[in-house]
Amino acid sequence: MEVKFSTRSAEQLKTPPASMSGVVFGTVFSDHMFCMEWEEGKGWHNAEIKPYGPLMLEPSSMVLHYAQMSFEGLKAYQTDSGEHVLFRPRENFKRMNRTSLRMCLPELDVEEVLTALKQLLRLDSGWVPNEAGTSLYIRPTILATEEAIGLKVSSKYLFYIILSPVGPYYSQGFNPVKIMVSDKYVRAVPGGVGFAKTGGNYAASNLAEKEAKELGYTQVLWLDAVERRYIEEVGAMNIFFVINDEIVTPQLTGSILPGITRMSVLELGKYWGLKVKEGRITIDEVLNGLKDGTVSEVFGAGTAAVISPVGTLSYKGEDYQVSDVETGPVAMRFYEHLTGIQYGKEADPFDWVESI
Ligand code: PLP
Ligand code: COI
Protein backbone atom coordinates (compact mmCIF):
# COMPACT_ATOMS: atom_id res chain seq x y z
CA MET A 1 0.00 0.00 0.00
CA GLU A 2 1.35 3.38 -1.04
CA VAL A 3 0.80 5.94 1.75
CA LYS A 4 0.84 9.63 0.85
CA PHE A 5 2.31 11.91 3.53
CA SER A 6 0.78 15.40 3.99
CA THR A 7 2.30 16.39 7.30
CA ARG A 8 2.02 19.56 9.36
CA SER A 9 4.73 22.15 9.05
CA ALA A 10 6.96 22.71 12.10
CA GLU A 11 4.91 25.80 13.11
CA GLN A 12 1.63 23.87 12.89
CA LEU A 13 2.73 21.07 15.23
CA LYS A 14 0.89 21.03 18.56
CA THR A 15 2.59 20.43 21.91
CA PRO A 16 1.71 17.18 23.70
CA PRO A 17 0.54 17.62 27.33
CA ALA A 18 3.54 18.02 29.68
CA SER A 19 1.82 15.65 32.14
CA MET A 20 -1.14 13.30 31.76
CA SER A 21 -2.43 13.93 35.27
CA GLY A 22 -5.72 15.79 35.00
CA VAL A 23 -6.16 14.92 31.30
CA VAL A 24 -9.50 13.11 30.85
CA PHE A 25 -9.18 9.81 28.93
CA GLY A 26 -9.54 10.24 25.16
CA THR A 27 -9.86 14.02 24.96
CA VAL A 28 -6.48 15.01 23.46
CA PHE A 29 -5.35 13.94 19.97
CA SER A 30 -1.97 13.85 18.26
CA ASP A 31 -0.88 15.87 15.22
CA HIS A 32 -1.71 13.35 12.49
CA MET A 33 -4.14 10.64 11.45
CA PHE A 34 -4.17 7.86 8.88
CA CYS A 35 -7.08 7.74 6.40
CA MET A 36 -8.05 5.56 3.46
CA GLU A 37 -11.20 5.04 1.43
CA TRP A 38 -13.03 2.04 0.03
CA GLU A 39 -15.36 1.93 -2.93
CA GLU A 40 -17.07 -0.95 -4.68
CA GLY A 41 -14.97 -2.05 -7.64
CA LYS A 42 -11.95 -0.09 -6.40
CA GLY A 43 -11.22 -1.58 -2.97
CA TRP A 44 -9.09 0.38 -0.48
CA HIS A 45 -7.39 3.44 -1.99
CA ASN A 46 -6.25 7.02 -1.19
CA ALA A 47 -4.15 5.95 1.82
CA GLU A 48 -2.85 9.10 3.42
CA ILE A 49 -1.27 10.33 6.65
CA LYS A 50 -2.48 13.88 7.19
CA PRO A 51 -3.09 16.46 9.93
CA TYR A 52 -5.66 15.40 12.54
CA GLY A 53 -8.80 17.39 11.77
CA PRO A 54 -12.51 17.34 10.90
CA LEU A 55 -13.86 14.84 8.38
CA MET A 56 -15.86 15.99 5.37
CA LEU A 57 -19.07 13.95 5.49
CA GLU A 58 -22.39 14.71 3.86
CA PRO A 59 -25.35 14.74 6.28
CA SER A 60 -26.76 11.87 4.24
CA SER A 61 -23.72 9.64 4.93
CA MET A 62 -25.11 6.23 5.82
CA VAL A 63 -23.19 5.80 9.08
CA LEU A 64 -24.93 8.85 10.52
CA HIS A 65 -28.33 7.20 10.04
CA TYR A 66 -27.90 3.45 10.33
CA ALA A 67 -24.69 3.14 12.37
CA GLN A 68 -22.86 0.83 9.96
CA MET A 69 -19.43 1.12 11.54
CA SER A 70 -16.74 -0.58 13.57
CA PHE A 71 -13.95 0.60 15.85
CA GLU A 72 -10.98 -0.81 17.74
CA GLY A 73 -8.84 0.16 20.71
CA LEU A 74 -5.19 -0.67 21.30
CA LYS A 75 -2.22 1.11 22.84
CA ALA A 76 1.39 2.06 22.16
CA TYR A 77 3.69 2.05 25.20
CA GLN A 78 7.07 3.57 25.94
CA THR A 79 9.23 0.92 27.58
CA ASP A 80 11.80 1.60 30.28
CA SER A 81 14.52 1.63 27.63
CA GLY A 82 12.67 4.36 25.69
CA GLU A 83 11.46 2.08 22.88
CA HIS A 84 7.89 2.35 21.56
CA VAL A 85 5.93 -0.91 21.32
CA LEU A 86 2.47 -2.24 20.52
CA PHE A 87 0.63 -5.02 22.39
CA ARG A 88 -0.78 -7.82 20.17
CA PRO A 89 -1.85 -5.35 17.45
CA ARG A 90 -2.76 -8.05 14.90
CA GLU A 91 -5.45 -9.31 17.28
CA ASN A 92 -7.20 -5.93 17.05
CA PHE A 93 -7.20 -5.84 13.26
CA LYS A 94 -8.33 -9.49 13.12
CA ARG A 95 -11.18 -8.65 15.49
CA MET A 96 -12.01 -5.63 13.35
CA ASN A 97 -12.34 -7.98 10.37
CA ARG A 98 -14.70 -10.22 12.37
CA THR A 99 -16.79 -7.15 13.24
CA SER A 100 -16.70 -6.19 9.56
CA LEU A 101 -18.17 -9.54 8.48
CA ARG A 102 -21.11 -9.04 10.84
CA MET A 103 -21.60 -5.36 9.96
CA CYS A 104 -21.11 -5.81 6.17
CA LEU A 105 -18.00 -3.61 6.17
CA PRO A 106 -15.00 -4.23 3.90
CA GLU A 107 -12.16 -6.24 5.44
CA LEU A 108 -8.67 -4.87 5.99
CA ASP A 109 -5.34 -6.41 5.11
CA VAL A 110 -3.98 -6.88 8.64
CA GLU A 111 -0.30 -6.51 7.70
CA GLU A 112 -0.91 -3.45 5.50
CA VAL A 113 -2.84 -1.51 8.13
CA LEU A 114 -0.31 -2.48 10.79
CA THR A 115 2.47 -1.09 8.60
CA ALA A 116 0.47 2.13 8.07
CA LEU A 117 -0.18 2.40 11.83
CA LYS A 118 3.54 2.08 12.53
CA GLN A 119 4.27 4.83 9.99
CA LEU A 120 1.77 7.09 11.78
CA LEU A 121 3.24 6.20 15.19
CA ARG A 122 6.79 6.92 14.04
CA LEU A 123 5.68 10.32 12.75
CA ASP A 124 3.83 11.19 15.99
CA SER A 125 6.30 9.42 18.30
CA GLY A 126 6.53 12.52 20.50
CA TRP A 127 2.93 11.85 21.56
CA VAL A 128 3.65 8.57 23.39
CA PRO A 129 3.58 9.71 27.04
CA ASN A 130 6.18 8.30 29.41
CA GLU A 131 4.83 8.79 32.92
CA ALA A 132 4.04 5.56 34.81
CA GLY A 133 0.74 4.02 33.67
CA THR A 134 0.33 6.21 30.58
CA SER A 135 0.19 5.20 26.93
CA LEU A 136 -0.91 6.35 23.47
CA TYR A 137 -4.41 5.01 22.83
CA ILE A 138 -5.01 4.07 19.20
CA ARG A 139 -8.51 4.20 17.71
CA PRO A 140 -8.97 2.60 14.26
CA THR A 141 -12.49 3.22 12.87
CA ILE A 142 -14.47 2.27 9.74
CA LEU A 143 -17.51 4.32 8.69
CA ALA A 144 -20.11 3.78 5.94
CA THR A 145 -19.93 6.98 3.87
CA GLU A 146 -22.24 6.47 0.89
CA GLU A 147 -24.54 9.49 0.58
CA ALA A 148 -27.91 7.75 0.61
CA ILE A 149 -30.68 7.34 3.17
CA GLY A 150 -32.31 4.25 1.68
CA LEU A 151 -31.66 1.25 3.94
CA LYS A 152 -28.99 -0.96 2.39
CA VAL A 153 -25.32 -1.83 2.69
CA SER A 154 -23.13 1.16 1.85
CA SER A 155 -20.96 1.06 -1.26
CA LYS A 156 -18.36 3.52 0.18
CA TYR A 157 -16.31 3.56 3.39
CA LEU A 158 -13.74 5.59 5.26
CA PHE A 159 -11.13 3.93 7.48
CA TYR A 160 -9.08 6.10 9.81
CA ILE A 161 -6.75 5.83 12.79
CA ILE A 162 -6.43 8.55 15.42
CA LEU A 163 -4.08 8.68 18.44
CA SER A 164 -4.78 9.93 21.95
CA PRO A 165 -2.28 10.12 24.83
CA VAL A 166 -3.98 8.68 27.93
CA GLY A 167 -3.56 7.96 31.62
CA PRO A 168 -5.91 5.72 33.65
CA TYR A 169 -9.41 5.12 32.19
CA TYR A 170 -11.15 5.37 35.56
CA SER A 171 -10.65 8.40 37.77
CA GLN A 172 -10.01 5.88 40.60
CA GLY A 173 -6.82 4.71 38.82
CA PHE A 174 -5.92 1.18 39.97
CA ASN A 175 -8.32 1.32 42.92
CA PRO A 176 -11.45 -0.85 43.26
CA VAL A 177 -14.45 0.38 41.25
CA LYS A 178 -18.15 0.16 42.12
CA ILE A 179 -20.19 -1.73 39.54
CA MET A 180 -23.97 -1.98 39.24
CA VAL A 181 -25.52 -5.18 37.88
CA SER A 182 -28.25 -4.18 35.42
CA ASP A 183 -31.52 -6.02 36.00
CA LYS A 184 -33.52 -3.49 33.98
CA TYR A 185 -31.71 -3.35 30.61
CA VAL A 186 -29.75 -5.79 28.45
CA ARG A 187 -26.75 -5.11 26.21
CA ALA A 188 -26.83 -7.83 23.57
CA VAL A 189 -28.99 -10.76 22.49
CA PRO A 190 -28.11 -14.15 20.99
CA GLY A 191 -27.70 -13.74 17.24
CA GLY A 192 -27.15 -9.99 17.64
CA VAL A 193 -23.95 -7.94 17.48
CA GLY A 194 -22.64 -8.19 21.06
CA PHE A 195 -19.36 -9.80 19.96
CA ALA A 196 -18.73 -6.99 17.46
CA LYS A 197 -16.97 -3.76 18.35
CA THR A 198 -19.58 -1.47 16.85
CA GLY A 199 -20.88 1.87 18.10
CA GLY A 200 -24.51 0.80 18.48
CA ASN A 201 -23.59 -1.55 21.35
CA TYR A 202 -22.26 1.42 23.26
CA ALA A 203 -25.10 3.79 22.35
CA ALA A 204 -27.56 1.17 23.60
CA SER A 205 -25.66 0.94 26.92
CA ASN A 206 -25.65 4.67 27.65
CA LEU A 207 -28.92 4.92 29.56
CA ALA A 208 -28.00 2.09 31.95
CA GLU A 209 -24.54 3.60 32.49
CA LYS A 210 -26.05 7.04 33.10
CA GLU A 211 -28.48 5.68 35.68
CA ALA A 212 -25.69 3.69 37.37
CA LYS A 213 -23.47 6.80 37.53
CA GLU A 214 -26.28 8.84 39.07
CA LEU A 215 -26.35 6.26 41.87
CA GLY A 216 -22.57 6.48 42.36
CA TYR A 217 -21.44 3.42 40.33
CA THR A 218 -18.72 3.51 37.69
CA GLN A 219 -20.11 1.06 35.13
CA VAL A 220 -22.75 -1.58 34.53
CA LEU A 221 -22.32 -5.36 34.67
CA TRP A 222 -24.54 -6.95 32.05
CA LEU A 223 -26.48 -10.18 32.45
CA ASP A 224 -27.61 -12.39 29.55
CA ALA A 225 -30.68 -11.11 27.74
CA VAL A 226 -32.73 -14.33 27.85
CA GLU A 227 -32.68 -15.54 31.44
CA ARG A 228 -31.11 -12.46 33.03
CA ARG A 229 -29.03 -14.79 35.21
CA TYR A 230 -25.73 -15.39 33.48
CA ILE A 231 -22.96 -12.84 33.79
CA GLU A 232 -21.71 -11.36 30.52
CA GLU A 233 -19.34 -8.39 30.81
CA VAL A 234 -18.96 -4.79 31.97
CA GLY A 235 -19.50 -1.64 29.84
CA ALA A 236 -15.88 -1.36 28.68
CA MET A 237 -14.18 -4.52 29.99
CA ASN A 238 -14.53 -8.28 30.42
CA ILE A 239 -15.02 -9.65 33.92
CA PHE A 240 -13.15 -12.24 36.01
CA PHE A 241 -13.96 -13.92 39.33
CA VAL A 242 -11.69 -15.81 41.68
CA ILE A 243 -13.91 -18.65 42.96
CA ASN A 244 -12.35 -21.21 45.29
CA ASP A 245 -8.90 -20.33 43.92
CA GLU A 246 -10.04 -20.84 40.32
CA ILE A 247 -10.02 -17.89 37.89
CA VAL A 248 -13.33 -17.90 36.06
CA THR A 249 -14.65 -15.68 33.25
CA PRO A 250 -17.85 -15.94 31.20
CA GLN A 251 -17.45 -18.05 28.08
CA LEU A 252 -17.78 -16.34 24.69
CA THR A 253 -21.41 -16.83 23.76
CA GLY A 254 -21.59 -14.41 20.84
CA SER A 255 -23.03 -11.60 22.93
CA ILE A 256 -19.75 -10.74 24.73
CA LEU A 257 -16.81 -8.84 23.25
CA PRO A 258 -13.87 -11.27 22.89
CA GLY A 259 -11.39 -9.05 24.67
CA ILE A 260 -7.70 -9.21 23.88
CA THR A 261 -6.86 -8.46 27.51
CA ARG A 262 -9.27 -11.27 28.51
CA MET A 263 -7.48 -13.68 26.20
CA SER A 264 -4.10 -12.55 27.58
CA VAL A 265 -5.21 -13.04 31.21
CA LEU A 266 -6.40 -16.57 30.37
CA GLU A 267 -3.13 -17.40 28.58
CA LEU A 268 -0.97 -15.89 31.32
CA GLY A 269 -2.93 -17.70 34.05
CA LYS A 270 -2.50 -21.05 32.26
CA TYR A 271 1.21 -20.33 31.74
CA TRP A 272 1.60 -19.77 35.49
CA GLY A 273 -0.12 -23.08 36.16
CA LEU A 274 -3.19 -21.47 37.77
CA LYS A 275 -6.64 -22.99 37.35
CA VAL A 276 -8.49 -20.90 34.75
CA LYS A 277 -11.93 -21.57 33.33
CA GLU A 278 -14.33 -20.09 30.78
CA GLY A 279 -17.87 -21.00 31.76
CA ARG A 280 -21.37 -19.88 32.56
CA ILE A 281 -21.55 -18.05 35.89
CA THR A 282 -24.83 -16.93 37.42
CA ILE A 283 -25.25 -13.74 39.39
CA ASP A 284 -26.64 -15.80 42.31
CA GLU A 285 -23.48 -17.92 42.40
CA VAL A 286 -21.36 -14.78 42.62
CA LEU A 287 -23.47 -13.05 45.28
CA ASN A 288 -23.70 -16.20 47.43
CA GLY A 289 -19.95 -16.68 46.95
CA LEU A 290 -19.29 -13.13 48.14
CA LYS A 291 -21.38 -13.81 51.25
CA ASP A 292 -19.74 -17.14 52.13
CA GLY A 293 -16.23 -16.09 51.07
CA THR A 294 -15.78 -18.54 48.16
CA VAL A 295 -15.63 -15.60 45.73
CA SER A 296 -12.50 -13.83 46.87
CA GLU A 297 -11.89 -11.39 43.99
CA VAL A 298 -13.67 -9.73 41.07
CA PHE A 299 -11.77 -7.76 38.45
CA GLY A 300 -12.26 -6.37 34.97
CA ALA A 301 -9.86 -6.58 32.01
CA GLY A 302 -9.68 -4.34 28.95
CA THR A 303 -7.31 -2.19 26.90
CA ALA A 304 -8.53 1.10 28.33
CA ALA A 305 -9.33 -0.31 31.79
CA VAL A 306 -6.18 -2.55 31.95
CA ILE A 307 -6.87 -4.74 35.05
CA SER A 308 -9.44 -3.08 37.21
CA PRO A 309 -10.37 -4.49 40.62
CA VAL A 310 -14.07 -4.40 41.52
CA GLY A 311 -14.70 -3.45 45.16
CA THR A 312 -18.49 -3.30 45.19
CA LEU A 313 -21.21 -5.07 43.19
CA SER A 314 -24.73 -3.77 43.47
CA TYR A 315 -27.72 -5.94 42.58
CA LYS A 316 -31.40 -5.07 43.01
CA GLY A 317 -30.57 -2.17 45.30
CA GLU A 318 -28.19 -4.08 47.60
CA ASP A 319 -24.41 -3.53 47.76
CA TYR A 320 -22.07 -6.52 48.07
CA GLN A 321 -18.46 -5.88 49.06
CA VAL A 322 -15.62 -7.75 47.39
CA SER A 323 -12.39 -8.58 49.26
CA ASP A 324 -13.01 -5.76 51.75
CA VAL A 325 -12.89 -3.27 48.86
CA GLU A 326 -9.14 -3.85 48.57
CA THR A 327 -7.23 -4.91 45.44
CA GLY A 328 -6.78 -8.69 45.70
CA PRO A 329 -3.52 -10.59 45.06
CA VAL A 330 -4.70 -12.22 41.81
CA ALA A 331 -5.77 -8.91 40.22
CA MET A 332 -2.51 -7.36 41.44
CA ARG A 333 -0.41 -10.16 39.92
CA PHE A 334 -2.12 -9.86 36.52
CA TYR A 335 -1.86 -6.07 36.62
CA GLU A 336 1.84 -6.15 37.48
CA HIS A 337 2.71 -8.77 34.87
CA LEU A 338 0.61 -7.52 31.98
CA THR A 339 1.78 -3.95 32.39
CA GLY A 340 5.27 -5.31 33.08
CA ILE A 341 5.28 -7.01 29.67
CA GLN A 342 3.79 -3.90 28.00
CA TYR A 343 6.37 -1.53 29.52
CA GLY A 344 9.31 -3.88 29.00
CA LYS A 345 9.85 -4.58 32.72
CA GLU A 346 8.99 -8.29 32.45
CA ALA A 347 10.08 -10.99 30.03
CA ASP A 348 7.61 -11.48 27.15
CA PRO A 349 7.45 -15.29 26.75
CA PHE A 350 4.60 -15.09 24.21
CA ASP A 351 6.03 -12.42 21.88
CA TRP A 352 3.02 -10.22 22.56
CA VAL A 353 4.97 -7.00 22.32
CA GLU A 354 5.86 -5.66 18.91
CA SER A 355 8.38 -2.98 18.21
CA ILE A 356 7.24 0.09 16.22
N1 PLP B 1 -15.86 -5.52 26.53
C1 PLP B 1 -16.23 -4.34 26.01
C2 PLP B 1 -17.67 -4.05 25.85
C3 PLP B 1 -15.25 -3.42 25.60
O1 PLP B 1 -15.59 -2.25 25.07
C4 PLP B 1 -13.89 -3.74 25.78
C5 PLP B 1 -12.86 -2.80 25.36
O2 PLP B 1 -12.33 -2.88 24.32
C6 PLP B 1 -13.56 -4.98 26.33
C7 PLP B 1 -14.57 -5.84 26.69
C8 PLP B 1 -12.12 -5.40 26.47
O3 PLP B 1 -11.55 -5.74 25.24
P1 PLP B 1 -9.99 -5.54 24.97
O4 PLP B 1 -9.30 -6.26 26.05
O5 PLP B 1 -9.76 -6.14 23.63
O6 PLP B 1 -9.73 -4.09 25.00
C1 COI C 1 -11.04 -0.16 24.93
O1 COI C 1 -10.76 -0.61 26.04
O2 COI C 1 -10.20 -0.07 24.04
C2 COI C 1 -12.38 0.30 24.59
O3 COI C 1 -12.69 0.31 23.44
C3 COI C 1 -13.29 0.78 25.62
C4 COI C 1 -13.87 2.09 25.18
C5 COI C 1 -15.31 2.09 25.35
C6 COI C 1 -13.13 3.24 25.78
Side-chain angles (χ1 to χ4, degrees):
M1 177 169 50
E2 188 80 29
V3 180
K4 184 176 158 200
F5 274 72
S6 316
T7 56
R8 289 185 191 223
S9 65
E11 309 81 68
Q12 290 167 332
L13 292 176
K14 300 179 289 178
T15 309
S19 162
M20 293 312 299
S21 66
V23 177
V24 176
F25 183 96
T27 55
V28 174
F29 298 94
S30 77
D31 278 310
H32 297 95
M33 60 184 183
F34 172 81
C35 294
M36 67 180 176
E37 293 164 67
W38 190 95
E39 227 177 284
E40 231 161 60
K42 232 173 153 179
W44 290 112
H45 60 284
N46 275 354
E48 185 175 6
I49 287 176
K50 57 186 182 187
Y52 174 93
L55 303 174
M56 288 281 285
L57 285 183
E58 295 219 9
S60 58
S61 293
M62 294 193 72
V63 66
L64 302 179
H65 302 265
Y66 309 122
Q68 198 196 343
M69 68 84 68
S70 139
F71 73 93
E72 269 302 327
L74 65 160
K75 283 172 170 174
Y77 307 84
Q78 175 157 323
T79 67
D80 280 1
S81 60
E83 198 195 353
H84 290 164
V85 299
L86 291 165
F87 184 73
R88 312 190 80 174
R90 286 178 185 78
E91 296 300 334
N92 290 89
F93 291 118
K94 286 197 298 202
R95 182 170 66 190
M96 194 163 214
N97 280 342
R98 293 199 299 273
T99 300
S100 287
L101 279 178
R102 182 65 177 81
M103 302 303 294
C104 301
L105 301 161
E107 283 182 70
L108 299 163
D109 181 311
V110 171
E111 293 306 320
E112 278 193 353
V113 284
L114 182 54
T115 303
L117 168 61
K118 288 183 183 178
Q119 287 176 297
L120 176 66
L121 287 168
R122 284 198 287 267
L123 180 66
D124 280 359
S125 64
W127 288 84
V128 183
N130 58 13
E131 290 160 284
T134 63
S135 55
L136 187 63
Y137 186 80
I138 301 163
R139 175 51 61 86
T141 309
I142 305 178
L143 308 178
T145 52
E146 185 180 337
E147 301 88 354
I149 51 171
L151 186 55
K152 63 178 184 107
V153 172
S154 175
S155 64
K156 283 169 64 182
Y157 298 89
L158 172 68
F159 170 77
Y160 63 84
I161 306 176
I162 55 175
L163 309 174
S164 175
V166 297
Y169 185 63
Y170 299 118
S171 54
Q172 292 90 333
F174 183 60
N175 292 313
V177 290
K178 289 177 78 175
I179 301 277
M180 187 173 142
V181 182
S182 184
D183 56 357
K184 188 168 165 196
Y185 306 105
V186 294
R187 173 184 178 274
V189 296
V193 298
F195 70 90
K197 211 158 163 60
T198 188
N201 282 334
Y202 298 81
S205 310
N206 275 345
L207 181 58
E209 304 262 339
K210 179 172 167 266
E211 291 180 0
K213 280 198 178 119
E214 281 163 3
L215 295 170
Y217 299 93
T218 311
Q219 274 192 19
V220 165
L221 175 66
W222 298 104
L223 300 179
D224 79 283
V226 179
E227 297 188 52
R228 310 256 183 130
R229 286 177 66 208
Y230 295 103
I231 290 179
E232 297 234 303
E233 63 178 323
V234 181
M237 55 189 191
N238 295 111
I239 189 96
F240 284 83
F241 302 90
V242 181
I243 310 179
N244 285 325
D245 293 327
E246 187 170 43
I247 298 161
V248 191
T249 195
Q251 68 194 53
L252 300 176
T253 51
S255 48
I256 300 174
L257 191 83
I260 291 152
T261 320
R262 173 189 181 280
M263 176 165 77
S264 307
V265 166
L266 290 172
E267 290 172 26
L268 205 50
K270 278 183 206 152
Y271 176 77
W272 287 336
L274 303 178
K275 283 187 274 178
V276 295
K277 191 173 97 184
E278 295 171 79
R280 297 196 91 186
I281 312 154
T282 64
I283 183 64
D284 290 337
E285 238 177 292
V286 168
L287 299 180
N288 290 334
L290 285 174
K291 282 192 213 148
D292 68 20
T294 48
V295 173
S296 54
E297 287 187 49
V298 182
F299 60 91
T303 299
V306 196
I307 299 293
S308 190
V310 176
T312 308
L313 271 183
S314 145
Y315 185 58
K316 294 194 191 290
E318 202 178 328
D319 273 0
Y320 297 78
Q321 292 201 342
V322 189
S323 43
D324 297 327
V325 200
E326 302 279 345
T327 300
V330 178
M332 182 63 93
R333 186 174 181 195
F334 279 113
Y335 177 83
E336 294 284 342
H337 262 78
L338 262 186
T339 56
I341 292 172
Q342 291 161 342
Y343 292 98
K345 296 178 204 292
E346 295 279 349
D348 174 21
F350 312 96
D351 281 333
W352 282 342
V353 158
E354 167 135 357
S355 174
I356 291 166

